[in-house]
Amino acid sequence: MFNKLVPLSHYLVNTSAATNIIAHHAGQTYSAKQFADAVKFWVNKLQAHPTQRYALYTEDTYPFAVLLFALLHAGKEIWIPGNNRPGTAQQLPKDCQLLGDWDAGKPIDYYLQTTDCSSLSLAPLNAFEPQLVIFTSGSTGQPKPIPKCLNQFQLEVDTLEMLWGAQLGNAQALATVSHQHIYGLLFRVLWPLSAGRCFHSQTAINPEILINTAGSTPAYWIASPAHLKRLDQHSPWPGIAGLKAIFSSGGALPEQAAKQIATASGQAVIEIYGSSETGGIAWRRQEKAWTLFSGMRLAFDKGCWWLHSPYLEIPPSPPFTKGGEVEIQPTSTQQDETTARSLLQSLNEHKKSPPFVKWGLGGDFQLNDQLTVLDDGRFLLHGRSDRIVKIEEKRLSLTELEQRLLVLPWIDEAHALVIAKSRDLVAVTIVLNQPGTEQLASQGRKPVIKQLRKALEPWFEAVVLPRKWLFVNTMPLTPQGKIDQRLLISLMDVDNRKLPQALKLIITADDIKLELKVPEDLIYFPNHFASYPLLPGVVQLAWAEHFGKLFFAINRPFSHMEVVKFIKIIQPGNELMLTLNWKANTGKLYFNFSSTQGPHSSGRMVYEGNK
């Protein structure tokens, strides 16, 4: 409970709960003492290294927690990227040392201790030192680094525990979202540690696995809207009904999905609204309006909304100190600030820290969301204001475009984005429902797209209508449960002189299937051959590797080919199905090109460093 929270800055200084089980990882349980010993081992190791800046990425949460606290106690700066893709590593600062699961060919042993460091004494952390750098979710495809200090997370943990600590009790934390984002970091790592709850290290890939993992043990689910809206009549509803709580963040949960969950399980999903920059802002439970967290205030000034949050530093010119046009705040703000002041004094009892006015009262941040504030202080969200784009000098709301598509009878999900070219264009990814899938199969791609464009014409000028369309069986997601913008742009923003056009994407648990169209004006055709153009085998191999690295974390050098077969020729205008399967344990990428004519080519690409 709230009054029993261990400050994160003092977590490894307090040894009163050394025997408590804090994590389940790789089939084993780990106590607070084992955690502390592992952290001390890594503190010794890291302090002996002159590098000051580290990029931390791990697939599982327990190793992440060990290395996170080791880096903190070693006085290092920690960058927490959203993934371990090669492109992400290239965007990090040049002096940033990669730590964790960056190379599948070189696994790191987090647990082997060659020396006994249990006697090492760790001092309390400076909770106000900005040692952590997290990232925005990259709504424009370009993640933005956000410096954070431990105290900002602590204040948020305190708020979460005050609201839902009693409801959770001693329940264990299970998740279908990654800890590499602020939501997962808070809910999977920092909150459980501070509150003394056990967390499960592995991310569940679906609710069935999550419920099986929980068994008869009290547990709660850390989810995203993408996971929750996929629940259907075959989902493990009895197990879901037995959870202590379901949390969701990363976007608004559709009302229909919330109602389905409530009807089938009796669970009212707790939604969290916030951002990487601000942390949590508000919450709601099966209702349209959002309730601000304690200490939060909203003000409307010069055409935009500002948030005042205790989790933020004070900026140069907040509207709250110069008089905004409208100001909304909880009635208990003064009481909340008194509570926060008392808490900070307790946290800082044994160390020096900046004055309360800087960190307790917080700072301001300009929101990119459109809001309507209600009379009772709650508010409604109407989408992000920064999704207003210009196409050929014509303004377009991508949110509105998606909403117009979603009212059509064939569509379950729609996501619009802009592909930046010499002439910007709109691209849309569509998840068809069963009737829509049947229409696509019977009518073909072009007639279906023509009908979709016609349905949009009453609302939008022709110049802003989507020019690229991709049909998928499910929206591709990042580990944080957000739509994978990078992947969608990579599929649709291609040079069709060298790469095929992606028509359809099917993601399954076993493989990736890409429906492709071979452009008729590929640069490879004139030389192979002018009178009878054929797609060269080496180009087919290049395409297989290109798409393989797009979908899978293949960070190893290429070694050689195995069992390559070229069966049927591929010509201009052919439509192909490329099936890809990556076996990380053997370092092999399996590929197969096929069409209605049968198989065209297949084989295996072998990469170095396989286990």
Side-chain angles (χ1 to χ4, degrees):
M1 298 297 294
F2 175 71
N3 58 355
K4 296 180 181 178
L5 285 177
V6 177
L8 296 168
S9 58
H10 288 62
Y11 183 79
L12 294 174
V13 179
N14 187 328
T15 59
S16 60
T19 60
N20 285 0
I21 299 299
I22 67 164
H24 288 278
H25 172 70
Q28 299 185 45
T29 58
Y30 290 85
S31 67
K33 182 182 185 306
Q34 289 174 304
F35 175 69
D37 288 346
V39 170
K40 291 175 183 178
F41 168 77
W42 278 96
V43 168
N44 261 357
K45 193 176 180 72
L46 291 164
Q47 284 180 335
H49 201 284
T51 301
Q52 283 300 114
R53 181 177 286 168
Y54 287 83
L56 175 59
Y57 178 91
T58 68
E59 293 289 343
D60 294 334
T61 302
Y62 181 70
F64 177 88
V66 169
L67 294 175
L68 173 68
F69 274 82
L71 288 164
L72 288 169
H73 279 279
K76 308 296 186 180
E77 182 178 291
I78 312 153
W79 289 56
I80 305 177
N83 60 61
N84 62 344
R85 301 301 297 259
T88 298
Q90 292 172 7
Q91 291 178 333
L92 293 167
K94 298 298 183 184
D95 62 345
C96 204
Q97 176 69 44
L98 303 182
L99 179 62
D101 298 328
W102 288 92
D103 187 346
K106 298 179 180 178
I108 185 171
D109 190 339
Y110 307 99
Y111 327 108
L112 179 63
Q113 298 185 29
T114 57
T115 56
D116 182 8
C117 302
S118 58
S119 61
L120 177 66
S121 178
L122 297 177
L125 294 167
N126 180 355
F128 300 95
E129 180 71 24
Q131 285 182 257
L132 292 138
V133 178
I134 62 174
F135 293 83
T136 65
S137 57
S139 60
T140 63
Q142 294 296 325
K144 173 186 173 184
I146 310 293
K148 296 279 185 179
C149 72
L150 200 59
N151 186 65
Q152 291 171 283
F153 293 110
Q154 183 68 58
L155 291 173
E156 192 156 1
V157 165
D158 301 338
T159 299
L160 297 174
E161 185 69 11
M162 281 192 293
L163 285 170
W164 298 296
Q167 178 177 336
L168 298 182
N170 64 347
Q172 298 183 0
L174 301 171
T176 50
V177 300
S178 169
H179 52 259
Q180 297 284 151
H181 185 262
I182 187 171
Y183 169 50
L185 174 62
L186 274 166
F187 279 70
R188 292 192 66 177
V189 183
L190 301 181
W191 185 13
L193 284 175
S194 185
R197 295 189 184 92
C198 176
F199 63 84
H200 284 252
S201 183
Q202 189 172 16
T203 302
I205 61 174
N206 58 47
E208 288 76 17
I209 291 178
L210 183 135
I211 295 303
N212 288 337
T213 301
S216 59
T217 304
Y220 58 100
W221 182 5
I222 305 161
S224 76
H227 301 116
L228 297 176
K229 66 186 180 185
R230 291 177 184 167
L231 297 173
D232 56 26
Q233 65 269 27
H234 304 297
S235 297
W237 292 114
I240 294 173
L243 295 171
K244 289 291 185 179
I246 300 175
F247 293 95
S248 177
S249 189
L253 181 66
E255 184 178 354
Q256 185 59 38
K259 287 181 178 178
Q260 179 194 32
I261 295 169
T263 301
S265 69
Q267 289 276 6
V269 177
I270 302 170
E271 295 183 71
I272 308 297
Y273 161 58
S275 70
S276 300
E277 294 94 339
T278 64
I281 296 173
W283 63 277
R284 69 178 182 181
R285 185 163 16 205
Q286 203 174 343
E287 53 188 350
K288 293 184 178 180
W290 296 84
T291 299
L292 288 166
F293 285 125
S294 296
M296 304 286 170
R297 301 197 299 274
L298 291 173
F300 191 78
D301 183 62
K302 295 183 179 178
C304 61
W305 285 98
W306 288 75
L307 170 75
H308 180 87
S309 167
Y311 311 152
L312 298 170
E313 293 184 74
I314 295 178
S317 55
F320 300 90
T321 60
K322 61 184 180 182
E325 299 169 15
V326 180
E327 183 171 338
I328 304 295
Q329 61 188 44
T331 56
S332 59
T333 299
Q334 184 175 358
Q335 179 180 353
D336 294 333
E337 291 179 353
T338 301
T339 302
R341 189 185 300 273
S342 175
L343 171 65
L344 278 177
Q345 289 174 348
S346 174
L347 289 175
N348 300 324
E349 195 172 88
H350 303 292
K351 62 182 179 63
K352 295 181 180 180
S353 64
F356 168 78
V357 67
K358 181 177 181 181
W359 291 99
L361 296 179
D364 301 340
F365 183 82
Q366 181 180 334
L367 298 175
N368 289 321
D369 296 296
Q370 298 170 326
L371 315 176
T372 296
V373 176
L374 306 178
D375 292 340
D376 60 2
R378 298 183 303 158
F379 62 91
L380 303 175
L381 278 174
H382 306 296
R384 294 178 63 88
S385 57
D386 59 1
R387 297 202 76 208
I388 303 295
V389 298
K390 278 192 174 183
I391 305 294
E392 296 295 301
E393 301 304 315
K394 302 292 184 181
R395 289 172 60 86
L396 170 68
S397 167
L398 296 178
T399 301
E400 182 187 5
L401 179 65
E402 292 165 356
Q403 292 171 345
R404 298 297 182 189
L405 286 168
L406 288 173
V407 300
L408 302 179
W410 294 349
I411 296 178
D412 270 348
E413 295 181 66
H415 181 72
L417 52 82
V418 174
I419 294 179
K421 289 181 171 292
S422 56
R423 178 182 177 183
D424 291 349
L425 57 89
V426 178
V428 175
T429 304
I430 298 289
V431 178
L432 295 172
N433 55 25
Q434 188 59 37
T437 302
E438 293 171 357
Q439 288 291 115
L440 183 64
S442 62
Q443 294 187 16
R445 176 183 171 86
K446 286 185 177 180
V448 168
I449 291 176
K450 184 177 181 180
Q451 292 179 65
L452 295 177
R453 284 176 59 91
K454 189 172 182 61
L456 294 173
E457 286 175 356
W459 309 101
F460 306 100
E461 295 184 65
V463 70
V464 303
L465 290 178
R467 296 179 57 199
K468 285 186 176 287
W469 300 77
L470 177 66
F471 294 99
V472 298
N473 68 323
T474 183
M475 284 290 179
L477 304 175
T478 66
Q480 293 77 36
K482 293 180 178 289
I483 293 174
D484 195 336
Q485 299 262 2
R486 179 200 60 82
L487 175 61
L488 293 178
I489 290 175
S490 297
L491 286 173
M492 292 190 279
D493 184 15
V494 299
D495 181 357
N496 287 132
R497 298 173 305 160
K498 297 180 179 180
L499 288 169
Q501 178 187 1
L503 307 177
K504 188 176 182 180
L505 168 64
I506 301 173
I507 301 174
T508 71
D510 298 321
D511 54 35
I512 297 293
K513 295 181 184 295
L514 259 177
E515 187 174 318
L516 305 169
K517 183 174 182 179
V518 180
E520 297 188 359
D521 57 347
L522 279 177
I523 61 174
Y524 312 109
F525 285 141
N527 296 326
H528 201 275
F529 301 98
S531 59
Y532 192 74
L534 305 175
L535 187 67
V538 66
V539 176
Q540 297 175 45
L541 299 179
W543 285 2
E545 182 173 57
H546 169 80
F547 288 111
K549 289 187 173 181
L550 196 60
F551 286 96
F552 306 112
I554 303 176
N555 304 329
R556 316 175 191 184
F558 175 79
S559 175
H560 62 278
M561 303 293 303
E562 288 183 349
V563 295
V564 177
K565 298 178 182 179
F566 296 101
I567 304 167
K568 285 187 177 70
I569 63 173
I570 298 174
Q571 294 185 287
N574 282 171
E575 291 190 5
L576 305 170
M577 181 66 75
L578 170 59
T579 302
L580 296 168
N581 186 287
W582 167 245
K583 302 293 186 183
N585 59 332
T586 60
K588 295 181 180 181
L589 175 67
Y590 292 68
F591 73 92
N592 182 292
F593 284 97
S594 62
S595 72
T596 55
Q597 304 173 37
H600 289 266
S601 62
S602 63
R604 297 193 293 265
M605 295 183 173
V606 184
Y607 293 84
E608 294 179 7
N610 53 298
K611 300 177 183 178

